[in-house]
């Protein structure tokens, strides 16, 4: 088993710079977010990236174990010249990010397009971890993609491959930001949904969104779409159904071209509305009359907002000569040692804990429910997707559930885990603790401490 080494992954976004210290096991150990400067051009953004990394390293005290820095950057990159060729929404066009980062921190530095990095992150430790060939589709403001063939990113002759958002899906469709008509992103990105919703409102369609949305320059965020779905809003359901069907047809096309092991859907819209959209995508793939053979499964991002920083860290590892996909090179020594005390309390290292617990991938222990008055559960059947979301943050390969009652998880929870390719085991609390302590894996645990009714 290799020793723990540290890399920094930075996701340089249009609104924020997200930097994380990542172990060679693909665990985010520490993070920092700073706003992306809106003025001062590329130099100001470079200075902000350097400052964010410096502050992160000061707090994290990584010191001599820092092995490399990776950056996930929006736009078209020139990997030969280490330069950003064009970045439509972030003012970094023409910038060489690599040389200054390498000089400042005296370690190898690498960069990757942001959605390429997110796909790499999902391959490393997310829901594509078992795949050798994977396609990532990230639905946010627009739609970005990444293509991994035999564990390597497909970059194209001039590094502009994987512009999945610009597959033309309706030659008479609406004009896209890129100038073409009917691109995937012009039909199913968040901006496209917003356009359809605003048009329907102007035509007098009733919707809860009419009261919630601000002026024309205030975007309809993914969280607002989620709340509208929860409120049973017909217009939102209609617009999301249309977008989900388009996503499904895009997935069918991607499967025909690449026949990947998995197609990963992620990004803000999927994070917020995945339970509504993923079944539409799955049924489009299932209905494809051409490809009837198994494979080309669709999965949901297991890493969420961390896919970018983790993929950037994986790129840094490769630049430093390490193989992130080599299981022998991975150390899992950051988890607490758990023990059950005589009084049915749980000890995590030296800390004594009470009630239902979640141990996350990063080794941190949390209460199962944020609400400290929440009752302790006796059975996995009482768990909700919200509980799983809290425990599975960071994307475990396996979730161990300790419960006094051996009932199975509810269907919705099994769907949640299946979509993210997370395995699960339900054991008695004592056995679950033993299993957790000894299993060498990217693991998380939910420990339920309520008494079973028939116990
Ligand atoms: Zn386009």
């Amino acid at each position: 088993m290799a020793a723990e080494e540290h890399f920094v992954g930075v996701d340089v976004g249009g609104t924020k710079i997200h930097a994380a210290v990542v172990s060679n096991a693909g665990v985010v150990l520490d993070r920092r977010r700073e706003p992306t400067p809106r003025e001062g051009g590329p130099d100001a953004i470079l200075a902000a990236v350097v400052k964010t990394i410096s502050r992160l390293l000061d707090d994290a005290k990584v010191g001599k174990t820092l092995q490399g820095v990776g950056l996930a950057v929006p736009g078209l990159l020139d990997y030969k010249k280490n330069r950003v060729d064009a970045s439509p929404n972030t003012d970094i066009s023409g910038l060489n990010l690599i040389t200054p980062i390498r000089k400042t921190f005296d370690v190898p530095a690498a960069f990757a397009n942001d959605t390429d990095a997110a796909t790499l992150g999902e391959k490393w430790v997310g829901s594509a971890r078992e795949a050798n060939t994977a396609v990532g589709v990230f639905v946010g403001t627009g739609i970005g993609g990444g293509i991994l063939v035999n564990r390597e990113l497909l970059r194209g002759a001039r590094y502009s491959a994987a512009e999945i958002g610009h597959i033309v899906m309706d030659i008479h469709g609406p004009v896209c930001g890129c100038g073409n008509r009917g691109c995937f992103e012009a039909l199913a990105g968040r901006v496209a949904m917003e356009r359809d919703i605003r048009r329907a409102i102007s035509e007098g369609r009733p919707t809860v969104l009419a009261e919630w949305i601000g002026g024309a320059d205030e975007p309809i965020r993914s969280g607002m779409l989620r709340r509208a779905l929860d409120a049973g809003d017909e217009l939102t359901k209609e617009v999301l159904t249309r977008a989900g069907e388009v996503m499904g047809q895009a997935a069918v096309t991607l499967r025909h071209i690449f026949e990947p092991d998995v197609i990963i859907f992620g990004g803000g819209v999927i994070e917020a509305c995945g339970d509504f959209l993923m079944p539409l995508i799955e049924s489009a793939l299932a209905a494809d009359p051409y490809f009837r053979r198994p494979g080309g499964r669709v999965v949901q991002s297991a890493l969420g907002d961390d896919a970018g920083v983790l993929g950037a860290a994986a790129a840094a590892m490769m630049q430093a000569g390490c193989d992130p996909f080599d299981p022998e090179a991975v150390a899992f020594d950051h988890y607490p040692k758990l023990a059950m005390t005589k009084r049915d309390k749980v000890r995590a290292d030296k800390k004594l804990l009470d009630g239902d617990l979640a141990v996350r991938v990063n080794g941190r222990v949390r209460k199962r429910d944020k609400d400290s008055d929440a009752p302790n559960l006796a059975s996995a059947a009482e768990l909700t997707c919200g509980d799983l979301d809290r425990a599975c943050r960071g994307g475990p390969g396996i979730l161990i559930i300790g419960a006094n009652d051996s009932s199975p998880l509810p269907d919705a929870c099994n769907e949640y885990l299946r979509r993210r390719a997370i395995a699960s085991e339900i054991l008695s609390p004592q056995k679950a603790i033993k299993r957790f302590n000894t299993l060498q894996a990217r693991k998380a645990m939910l420990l339920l401490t309520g008494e079973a009714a028939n116990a």
Side-chain angles (χ1 to χ4, degrees):
M1 188 65 50
E4 190 168 275
E5 293 175 339
H6 301 109
F7 296 84
V8 165
V10 189
D11 194 346
V12 184
T15 54
K16 66 178 194 297
I17 296 163
H18 176 192
V21 173
V22 177
S23 78
N24 54 338
V27 174
V28 172
L29 300 173
D30 222 325
R31 69 174 83 238
R32 190 173 186 100
R33 290 187 179 91
E34 298 278 351
T36 305
R38 298 209 163 273
E39 283 163 23
D43 290 344
I45 293 178
L46 173 62
V49 169
V50 169
K51 200 162 93 181
T52 307
I53 299 172
S54 302
R55 285 185 173 166
L56 173 71
L57 291 175
D58 285 349
D59 292 348
K61 304 200 168 43
V62 172
K64 285 193 182 112
T65 61
L66 179 68
Q67 306 284 315
V69 175
L71 303 139
V73 181
L76 299 177
L77 310 182
D78 185 331
Y79 291 93
K80 226 179 221 156
K81 294 179 180 155
N82 282 337
R83 207 180 56 184
V84 182
D85 258 355
S87 187
N89 302 315
T90 312
D91 193 4
I92 47 171
S93 298
L95 183 65
N96 176 339
L97 279 155
I98 301 297
T99 312
I101 296 283
R102 193 171 52 211
K103 283 187 178 153
T104 308
F105 299 100
D106 198 25
V107 288
F111 69 176
N113 164 273
D114 54 358
T115 49
D116 278 353
T119 306
L120 190 62
E122 292 290 343
K123 160 59 196 160
W124 186 21
V125 286
S127 49
R129 72 183 84 79
E130 304 289 340
N132 286 317
T133 296
V135 177
V137 181
F138 298 90
V139 186
T141 313
I143 296 178
I147 297 161
L148 202 80
V149 178
N150 293 328
R151 300 175 166 205
E152 277 195 39
L153 284 169
L154 184 75
R155 288 190 161 143
R158 302 282 178 276
Y159 313 121
S160 334
E163 287 293 327
I164 289 167
H166 301 285
I167 299 173
V168 175
M169 300 193 67
D170 177 0
I171 56 172
H172 303 297
V175 176
C176 177
C178 76
N180 289 302
R181 270 190 184 278
C183 290
F184 180 18
E185 136 174 339
L187 298 176
R190 193 177 49 72
V191 170
M193 296 177 195
E194 180 165 348
R195 174 201 63 214
D196 292 350
I197 288 167
R198 285 187 192 274
R199 183 183 302 143
I201 291 173
S202 74
E203 287 165 357
R205 278 284 302 273
T207 164
V208 290
L209 288 168
E211 293 167 28
W212 297 350
I213 56 179
D217 53 349
E218 231 179 278
I220 301 178
R221 299 202 181 280
S222 307
M224 205 188 275
L225 295 173
R226 169 82 260 167
R227 288 198 299 282
L229 275 183
D230 290 341
D233 188 63
E234 285 302 322
L235 176 65
T236 306
K237 276 197 235 169
E238 189 183 300
V239 168
L240 279 171
T241 300
R242 204 156 53 218
E245 286 168 354
V246 172
M247 290 174 204
Q249 290 310 314
V252 167
T253 294
L254 292 167
R255 186 168 65 173
H256 290 171
I257 299 173
F258 297 102
E259 205 199 356
D261 298 308
V262 295
I263 301 171
I264 313 140
F265 274 81
V269 170
I270 299 289
E271 286 304 306
C273 307
D275 59 338
F276 187 87
L277 293 165
M278 292 300 288
L280 294 166
I281 300 166
E282 285 165 359
S283 59
L285 281 168
D288 174 11
Y290 186 29
F291 270 36
R292 305 302 292 171
R293 71 195 76 171
R297 217 156 59 82
V298 62
V299 292
Q300 187 168 343
S301 157
L303 305 175
D305 197 31
D306 281 351
V309 291
L310 284 162
M317 277 181 86
M318 291 172 180
Q319 187 72 26
C322 311
D323 177 8
F325 306 134
D326 175 11
E328 296 298 312
V330 171
F332 292 102
D333 44 15
H334 64 284
Y335 289 102
K337 205 73 178 158
L338 303 178
M340 195 78 112
T341 70
K342 278 182 190 145
R343 296 183 172 196
D344 276 356
K345 288 195 175 190
V346 178
R347 200 189 297 279
D349 289 335
K350 284 178 182 156
K351 216 168 146 196
L352 208 54
L353 302 154
D354 236 344
D356 291 356
L357 301 173
V359 187
R360 286 184 182 161
V361 155
N362 61 9
R364 308 243 165 99
V365 185
R366 294 276 179 277
K367 286 201 169 301
R368 173 186 59 82
D369 195 310
K370 245 190 251 170
D371 175 5
S372 51
D373 293 335
N376 296 327
L377 306 181
S379 160
E382 297 171 85
L383 289 168
T384 64
C385 291
D387 293 322
L388 298 196
D389 219 31
R390 212 166 139 71
C392 294
R393 210 154 296 166
I398 181 165
L399 173 69
I400 297 164
I401 300 169
N404 282 309
D405 169 320
S406 60
S407 307
L409 283 163
D411 290 348
C413 290
N414 279 323
E415 284 290 277
Y416 178 101
L417 295 172
R418 182 185 62 78
R419 288 214 169 97
R420 291 163 181 81
I422 301 171
S424 64
E425 285 178 13
I426 302 173
L427 302 164
S428 72
Q430 287 83 356
K431 280 188 180 156
I433 284 176
K434 195 170 168 207
R435 177 88 170 121
F436 186 83
N437 284 338
T438 52
L439 183 67
Q440 281 292 329
R442 198 179 159 77
K443 59 199 171 184
M445 180 152 87
L446 268 168
L447 195 63
L448 310 181
T449 57
E451 291 299 323
N454 56 358

